[in-house]
Amino acid sequence: MLRQNRLKIMVQTGILCRQPAVLDNAQADWPRWSVMAEQRHAVDRLSWISAYALRLGLLLGVWWILSGSTGDWWFGLPLAVFAAAVSLWLTPPGRFRLRLHRMPFFAGFFLWQSLLAGWDVARRTLSPALPLRPEILHLPVVLPEGAPTWWLMLVISLLPGTLSVRLDEERSLEVHCLDSRLDVPASVRETELQIALLFGLRISGADGGQHS
Amino acid sequence: MNWLLEVVAVLLLVTLVLGLIRIWRGPTVADRMLAAQLFGTTGVGLLLVLAELQQMPALRDVALVLALLAVMAVLAFVARVWRQDPNDNHEGPS
Amino acid sequence: MILIDLLQGMLLLAGVGFFLVGTLGILRFPDVYTRVHALTKADNLGLGLIVFGLLLGAESVPVALKLLLIWGLALVASATAGYLVARAARRRGVKPWKARSGGGA
């Protein structure tokens, strides 16, 4: 079990290592990217149970934090049980699951990028010339629909110089960039890769053949 | 350390007041809404600093609720208000 | 101890600095879209730095976790709000501001 996990991580980091070569001509290679193996999960009874357990655990944790560990469990416990049930009703378990062991890597990527983003905005704001050259880009999204795409759109808005504006039916993401001189396609690509890893999806740069 | 927290709190208040200028100048309703969102984030920061400064842990809960309400306000605005105001000036630059 | 105080002070002041920058950006940037950029990025970083500054002085684990929870919530909230405002502006046909020939810089 452990060995299998490690193997999977090695495979994933192998993809990560190959990445820069692909990134260099990201725009040229763009449409060829595709999700190779979506390690999807069939939504069966087990996934409902595990989703419930996970959400209940999360909510109990939140209650512990909110109540300042005073332990007013007579109120918190029934509330968490109820809220977890309601959350399942409102948002049934999806096909995609976060890989918890990837969380620290993703958090590191995210924190570093938001630091850069804040710095970038500060530099532009404080410069007397106000160096802005905004443009709108349309970039195809290769991540599958659902949670991964939502993550992508939210995270992009917090990256340096990018803001997701909308996603159309052909899964083309409209991105507003602060400066056309930034290599936005490459950073969006990198973000997609990070999110793919977070969800245990495999993205390949090999010839997929589908051109838009 | 308290003097520093006080300085931080005052500076946060200054940013709030500066944000009022954008509410005043607009020009679109969305710009005013953005300033309101600014109030949300800055208010959360201010409340967290005050919670530490005045030793009032309850203010952290207020900050949590404020963060939630700020996004609800934007949501309601986008879903309802902006759609129904035909007199709004569409042009961006002020 | 003095080192921690120093670090805390630096984090807090840097955080306030980014809040000021965010507000300045909202005032200086030319259109809705660019203002959303300034607001979401600068303010989130500012709040993050303030949260990390306060974390160093947090009296207990639940308090520290609560600070992080608030930051996470604010992150998701402002990214969502920024996206919604930008999308609504686009739907209403608000034209993005363009740099005049050659642009700034």
Coordinates of all heavy atoms in Angstrom, one line a residue, chain B residues 26-88:
Chain B
G26 N -17.3 56.4 -7.5 CA -17.8 55.4 -8.4 C -16.8 55.0 -9.5 O -15.8 54.6 -9.1
P27 N -17.1 55.1 -10.8 CA -18.3 55.6 -11.4 C -19.4 54.5 -11.5 O -20.6 54.9 -11.5 CB -17.9 56.0 -12.8 CG -16.7 55.1 -13.1 CD -16.1 54.8 -11.8
T28 N -19.1 53.2 -11.6 CA -20.2 52.3 -11.7 C -20.5 51.7 -10.3 O -19.7 51.9 -9.4 CB -19.8 51.1 -12.6 OG1 -18.7 50.4 -11.9 CG2 -19.3 51.5 -13.9
V29 N -21.7 51.1 -10.2 CA -22.1 50.5 -9.0 C -21.1 49.4 -8.5 O -20.8 49.2 -7.4 CB -23.5 49.9 -9.1 CG1 -24.0 49.6 -7.7 CG2 -24.4 50.7 -9.9
A30 N -20.5 48.8 -9.6 CA -19.5 47.7 -9.2 C -18.3 48.3 -8.5 O -17.8 47.6 -7.6 CB -19.1 47.0 -10.5
D31 N -17.9 49.4 -8.9 CA -16.7 50.1 -8.2 C -17.1 50.3 -6.7 O -16.3 50.1 -5.8 CB -16.4 51.4 -8.9 CG -15.8 51.1 -10.3 OD1 -14.8 50.5 -10.4 OD2 -16.4 51.6 -11.2
R32 N -18.3 50.8 -6.5 CA -18.7 51.0 -5.1 C -18.8 49.7 -4.4 O -18.4 49.6 -3.2 CB -20.1 51.7 -5.1 CG -20.0 53.0 -5.9 CD -21.2 54.0 -5.5 NE -20.9 55.3 -6.1 CZ -21.4 55.7 -7.2 NH1 -22.2 55.0 -7.9 NH2 -21.0 56.9 -7.7
M33 N -19.2 48.7 -5.1 CA -19.3 47.3 -4.4 C -17.9 46.8 -4.0 O -17.8 46.2 -3.0 CB -20.0 46.4 -5.4 CG -20.6 45.2 -4.7 SD -21.8 45.6 -3.5 CE -21.4 44.5 -2.2
L34 N -17.0 47.1 -4.9 CA -15.6 46.7 -4.6 C -15.1 47.4 -3.4 O -14.4 46.7 -2.5 CB -14.7 47.1 -5.8 CG -14.6 46.1 -6.9 CD1 -13.6 46.6 -7.9 CD2 -14.2 44.7 -6.4
A35 N -15.4 48.6 -3.2 CA -15.0 49.3 -2.0 C -15.7 48.7 -0.8 O -15.0 48.5 0.3 CB -15.4 50.8 -2.1
A36 N -16.9 48.2 -0.9 CA -17.6 47.5 0.2 C -16.8 46.2 0.5 O -16.7 45.9 1.6 CB -19.0 47.3 -0.2
Q37 N -16.4 45.6 -0.6 CA -15.6 44.3 -0.3 C -14.3 44.6 0.4 O -13.8 43.9 1.3 CB -15.3 43.7 -1.7 CG -14.9 42.2 -1.6 CD -14.3 41.7 -2.8 OE1 -14.7 42.2 -3.9 NE2 -13.3 40.9 -2.8
L38 N -13.7 45.8 0.0 CA -12.5 46.2 0.7 C -12.8 46.4 2.2 O -12.0 46.0 3.1 CB -12.0 47.6 0.1 CG -11.0 48.3 0.8 CD1 -9.6 47.9 0.3 CD2 -11.1 49.8 0.7
F39 N -13.9 47.0 2.5 CA -14.3 47.2 3.9 C -14.4 45.8 4.6 O -14.0 45.7 5.8 CB -15.7 47.8 4.0 CG -15.6 49.3 3.9 CD1 -14.7 49.9 3.0 CD2 -16.5 50.1 4.6 CE1 -14.6 51.3 2.9 CE2 -16.4 51.5 4.4 CZ -15.5 52.1 3.6
G40 N -14.9 44.8 3.9 CA -15.0 43.5 4.5 C -13.6 43.0 4.9 O -13.4 42.7 6.1
T41 N -12.6 42.9 4.0 CA -11.3 42.4 4.3 C -10.6 43.2 5.3 O -10.0 42.7 6.3 CB -10.4 42.3 3.0 OG1 -11.3 42.1 1.9 CG2 -9.4 41.2 3.1
T42 N -10.6 44.6 5.1 CA -9.9 45.4 6.1 C -10.6 45.3 7.4 O -9.9 45.3 8.5 CB -9.9 46.9 5.6 OG1 -9.6 46.9 4.2 CG2 -8.9 47.7 6.3
G43 N -11.9 45.3 7.4 CA -12.6 45.1 8.7 C -12.2 43.9 9.4 O -12.0 43.9 10.7
V44 N -12.1 42.8 8.7 CA -11.6 41.5 9.3 C -10.3 41.7 10.0 O -10.0 41.3 11.1 CB -11.6 40.4 8.3 CG1 -10.9 39.2 8.9 CG2 -13.0 40.0 7.9
G45 N -9.3 42.3 9.2 CA -8.0 42.6 9.8 C -8.1 43.4 11.0 O -7.4 43.1 12.0
L46 N -8.8 44.5 10.9 CA -9.0 45.4 12.0 C -9.5 44.7 13.3 O -9.0 44.9 14.4 CB -9.9 46.6 11.6 CG -10.0 47.7 12.6 CD1 -8.7 48.4 12.8 CD2 -11.0 48.8 12.0
L47 N -10.6 43.9 13.1 CA -11.2 43.2 14.2 C -10.2 42.2 14.9 O -10.1 42.1 16.1 CB -12.4 42.4 13.8 CG -13.6 43.3 13.5 CD1 -14.7 42.6 12.8 CD2 -14.2 43.8 14.9
L48 N -9.4 41.5 14.0 CA -8.4 40.6 14.6 C -7.4 41.3 15.4 O -7.0 40.9 16.5 CB -7.7 39.8 13.4 CG -8.6 38.9 12.7 CD1 -7.8 38.1 11.6 CD2 -9.2 37.8 13.6
V49 N -6.9 42.5 14.9 CA -5.9 43.3 15.7 C -6.5 43.8 17.0 O -5.9 43.7 18.0 CB -5.4 44.5 14.8 CG1 -4.6 45.4 15.6 CG2 -4.6 43.9 13.6
L50 N -7.8 44.3 16.9 CA -8.5 44.8 18.1 C -8.7 43.6 19.1 O -8.6 43.9 20.3 CB -9.8 45.4 17.7 CG -9.7 46.8 17.1 CD1 -11.1 47.3 16.8 CD2 -9.0 47.8 18.0
A51 N -9.0 42.4 18.6 CA -9.2 41.3 19.5 C -7.9 41.1 20.4 O -8.0 40.8 21.6 CB -9.5 40.0 18.7
E52 N -6.8 41.2 19.7 CA -5.5 41.0 20.4 C -5.2 42.2 21.3 O -4.8 42.0 22.5 CB -4.4 40.9 19.3 CG -3.0 40.6 19.9 CD -2.9 39.1 20.3 OE1 -3.8 38.3 19.9 OE2 -2.0 38.8 21.1
L53 N -5.5 43.4 20.8 CA -5.1 44.6 21.5 C -6.0 44.8 22.8 O -5.5 45.1 23.9 CB -5.4 45.8 20.6 CG -4.9 47.2 21.1 CD1 -3.4 47.2 21.3 CD2 -5.3 48.3 20.1
Q54 N -7.2 44.5 22.7 CA -8.1 44.7 23.8 C -8.4 43.4 24.6 O -9.3 43.4 25.5 CB -9.4 45.3 23.3 CG -9.2 46.6 22.5 CD -10.4 47.4 22.4 OE1 -11.5 46.9 22.1 NE2 -10.2 48.7 22.5
Q55 N -7.8 42.4 24.2 CA -8.0 41.1 24.9 C -9.5 40.7 24.9 O -10.0 40.3 25.9 CB -7.4 41.1 26.3 CG -5.9 41.3 26.3 CD -5.2 40.1 25.7 OE1 -5.5 39.0 26.0 NE2 -4.3 40.4 24.8
M56 N -10.1 40.9 23.7 CA -11.5 40.5 23.6 C -11.6 39.4 22.5 O -11.8 39.7 21.3 CB -12.3 41.7 23.2 CG -12.6 42.7 24.3 SD -13.5 44.1 23.7 CE -15.1 43.4 23.3
P57 N -11.5 38.1 22.9 CA -11.5 37.0 21.9 C -12.8 37.0 21.1 O -12.8 36.5 20.0 CB -11.4 35.8 22.8 CG -11.0 36.2 24.1 CD -11.4 37.7 24.3
A58 N -13.9 37.5 21.7 CA -15.2 37.5 20.9 C -15.1 38.2 19.6 O -15.8 37.9 18.7 CB -16.3 38.1 21.8
L59 N -14.2 39.2 19.5 CA -14.1 40.0 18.3 C -13.6 39.1 17.1 O -13.9 39.4 16.0 CB -13.1 41.2 18.5 CG -13.6 42.3 19.3 CD1 -12.6 43.4 19.4 CD2 -14.9 42.9 18.7
R60 N -12.9 38.0 17.4 CA -12.5 37.1 16.4 C -13.7 36.4 15.7 O -13.7 36.2 14.5 CB -11.5 36.0 16.9 CG -10.2 36.6 17.4 CD -9.1 35.6 17.5 NE -8.0 36.2 18.1 CZ -7.7 36.2 19.4 NH1 -8.5 35.5 20.2 NH2 -6.7 36.8 19.9
D61 N -14.7 36.1 16.6 CA -15.9 35.6 16.0 C -16.6 36.6 15.1 O -17.2 36.3 14.1 CB -16.8 35.1 17.1 CG -16.2 34.0 18.0 OD1 -15.5 33.2 17.4 OD2 -16.3 34.0 19.2
V62 N -16.6 37.9 15.6 CA -17.2 38.9 14.8 C -16.5 39.0 13.5 O -17.1 39.1 12.4 CB -17.1 40.3 15.5 CG1 -17.7 41.4 14.7 CG2 -17.8 40.2 16.9
A63 N -15.2 38.9 13.5 CA -14.4 38.9 12.2 C -14.8 37.8 11.3 O -15.0 38.0 10.1 CB -12.9 38.8 12.5
L64 N -15.0 36.6 11.8 CA -15.4 35.5 11.0 C -16.8 35.7 10.4 O -16.9 35.5 9.2 CB -15.5 34.3 12.0 CG -15.6 32.9 11.3 CD1 -14.2 32.5 10.9 CD2 -16.1 31.9 12.3
V65 N -17.7 36.3 11.2 CA -19.0 36.6 10.6 C -18.9 37.7 9.6 O -19.6 37.6 8.5 CB -20.0 37.0 11.8 CG1 -21.3 37.4 11.2 CG2 -20.2 35.8 12.7
L66 N -18.1 38.7 9.8 CA -18.0 39.8 8.9 C -17.4 39.2 7.5 O -17.9 39.6 6.4 CB -17.0 40.8 9.4 CG -16.8 42.0 8.5 CD1 -18.2 42.8 8.4 CD2 -15.8 43.0 9.1
A67 N -16.5 38.3 7.6 CA -15.9 37.8 6.3 C -17.0 37.1 5.6 O -17.1 37.2 4.3 CB -14.8 36.8 6.7
L68 N -17.9 36.3 6.3 CA -19.0 35.6 5.6 C -20.0 36.6 5.0 O -20.4 36.5 3.9 CB -19.7 34.7 6.6 CG -19.1 33.3 6.8 CD1 -19.9 32.6 7.9 CD2 -19.2 32.6 5.5
L69 N -20.3 37.6 5.8 CA -21.3 38.6 5.3 C -20.8 39.4 4.2 O -21.6 39.7 3.3 CB -21.7 39.5 6.5 CG -22.6 38.9 7.5 CD1 -23.0 39.9 8.6 CD2 -23.9 38.4 6.9
A70 N -19.5 39.7 4.1 CA -19.0 40.5 3.0 C -19.2 39.8 1.7 O -19.7 40.4 0.7 CB -17.5 40.8 3.3
V71 N -19.0 38.5 1.7 CA -19.1 37.8 0.4 C -20.6 37.6 0.1 O -21.0 37.7 -1.1 CB -18.4 36.5 0.4 CG1 -19.1 35.4 1.3 CG2 -18.2 35.9 -1.0
M72 N -21.5 37.5 1.1 CA -22.9 37.4 0.9 C -23.4 38.7 0.2 O -24.2 38.7 -0.7 CB -23.7 37.2 2.2 CG -23.5 35.9 2.8 SD -24.1 34.6 1.8 CE -23.3 33.2 2.5
A73 N -22.8 39.8 0.7 CA -23.3 41.1 0.1 C -22.9 41.2 -1.4 O -23.8 41.6 -2.2 CB -22.6 42.3 0.9
V74 N -21.7 40.8 -1.7 CA -21.3 40.8 -3.1 C -22.2 39.9 -3.9 O -22.6 40.2 -5.0 CB -19.8 40.4 -3.3 CG1 -19.4 40.3 -4.7 CG2 -18.9 41.4 -2.6
L75 N -22.5 38.7 -3.4 CA -23.3 37.8 -4.1 C -24.7 38.3 -4.4 O -25.2 38.3 -5.5 CB -23.5 36.5 -3.2 CG -23.3 35.2 -3.9 CD1 -22.2 34.4 -3.3 CD2 -24.6 34.5 -3.8
A76 N -25.3 38.9 -3.3 CA -26.6 39.5 -3.5 C -26.6 40.7 -4.5 O -27.5 40.8 -5.4 CB -27.1 40.0 -2.1
F77 N -25.5 41.4 -4.4 CA -25.4 42.6 -5.4 C -25.3 42.1 -6.8 O -26.0 42.6 -7.7 CB -24.1 43.3 -5.0 CG -23.6 44.2 -6.1 CD1 -24.2 45.4 -6.5 CD2 -22.5 43.8 -6.9 CE1 -23.8 46.1 -7.5 CE2 -22.0 44.6 -7.9 CZ -22.7 45.8 -8.2
V78 N -24.5 41.0 -7.1 CA -24.3 40.5 -8.4 C -25.6 39.9 -8.9 O -26.0 40.1 -10.1 CB -23.2 39.5 -8.5 CG1 -23.2 38.8 -9.8 CG2 -21.8 40.3 -8.3
A79 N -26.3 39.2 -8.0 CA -27.5 38.4 -8.4 C -28.7 39.3 -8.6 O -29.5 39.1 -9.5 CB -27.8 37.4 -7.4
R80 N -28.8 40.4 -7.9 CA -30.0 41.2 -7.9 C -29.8 42.6 -8.3 O -30.4 43.1 -9.3 CB -30.6 41.2 -6.5 CG -31.1 39.9 -6.0 CD -32.6 39.9 -5.6 NE -33.2 38.6 -5.9 CZ -34.0 38.4 -6.9 NH1 -34.2 39.3 -7.8 NH2 -34.5 37.2 -7.1
V81 N -29.0 43.4 -7.6 CA -29.0 44.8 -7.7 C -28.5 45.3 -9.1 O -29.2 46.0 -9.8 CB -28.2 45.5 -6.6 CG1 -28.3 47.0 -6.7 CG2 -28.6 45.0 -5.3
W82 N -27.3 44.8 -9.5 CA -26.7 45.3 -10.7 C -27.5 45.0 -11.9 O -27.5 45.8 -12.9 CB -25.3 44.8 -10.8 CG -24.5 45.8 -11.6 CD1 -24.8 47.1 -11.9 CD2 -23.2 45.5 -12.2 NE1 -23.8 47.6 -12.6 CE2 -22.8 46.7 -12.8 CE3 -22.3 44.4 -12.2 CZ2 -21.6 46.8 -13.5 CZ3 -21.1 44.5 -12.9 CH2 -20.8 45.7 -13.5
R83 N -28.2 43.9 -11.9 CA -29.0 43.6 -13.1 C -30.2 44.5 -13.3 O -30.7 44.6 -14.4 CB -29.5 42.1 -12.8 CG -29.3 41.3 -14.1 CD -29.6 39.8 -13.7 NE -28.4 39.1 -13.6 CZ -28.4 37.8 -13.2 NH1 -29.5 37.2 -12.8 NH2 -27.3 37.2 -13.1
Q84 N -30.6 45.1 -12.2 CA -31.9 45.9 -12.3 C -31.7 47.4 -12.4 O -32.6 48.2 -12.4 CB -32.7 45.6 -11.1 CG -33.3 44.2 -11.1 CD -33.9 43.9 -9.7 OE1 -33.9 44.7 -8.8 NE2 -34.4 42.7 -9.6
D85 N -30.4 47.8 -12.6 CA -30.2 49.3 -12.6 C -29.8 49.7 -14.0 O -28.6 49.7 -14.4 CB -29.1 49.6 -11.6 CG -28.9 51.1 -11.5 OD1 -29.6 51.8 -12.2 OD2 -27.9 51.5 -10.9
P86 N -30.7 50.1 -14.9 CA -30.4 50.5 -16.2 C -29.7 51.8 -16.3 O -29.1 52.1 -17.4 CB -31.8 50.5 -16.9 CG -32.7 50.8 -15.8 CD -32.2 50.3 -14.6
N87 N -29.8 52.7 -15.3 CA -29.2 54.0 -15.4 C -27.7 54.0 -15.1 O -27.1 55.1 -15.1 CB -29.9 54.9 -14.4 CG -31.4 55.1 -14.8 OD1 -31.7 55.1 -15.9 ND2 -32.2 55.1 -13.8
D88 N -27.2 52.8 -14.8 CA -25.8 52.8 -14.4 C -24.9 53.1 -15.6 O -25.1 52.8 -16.7 CB -25.5 51.4 -13.9 CG -24.1 51.3 -13.3 OD1 -23.6 52.3 -12.9 OD2 -23.6 50.2 -13.3

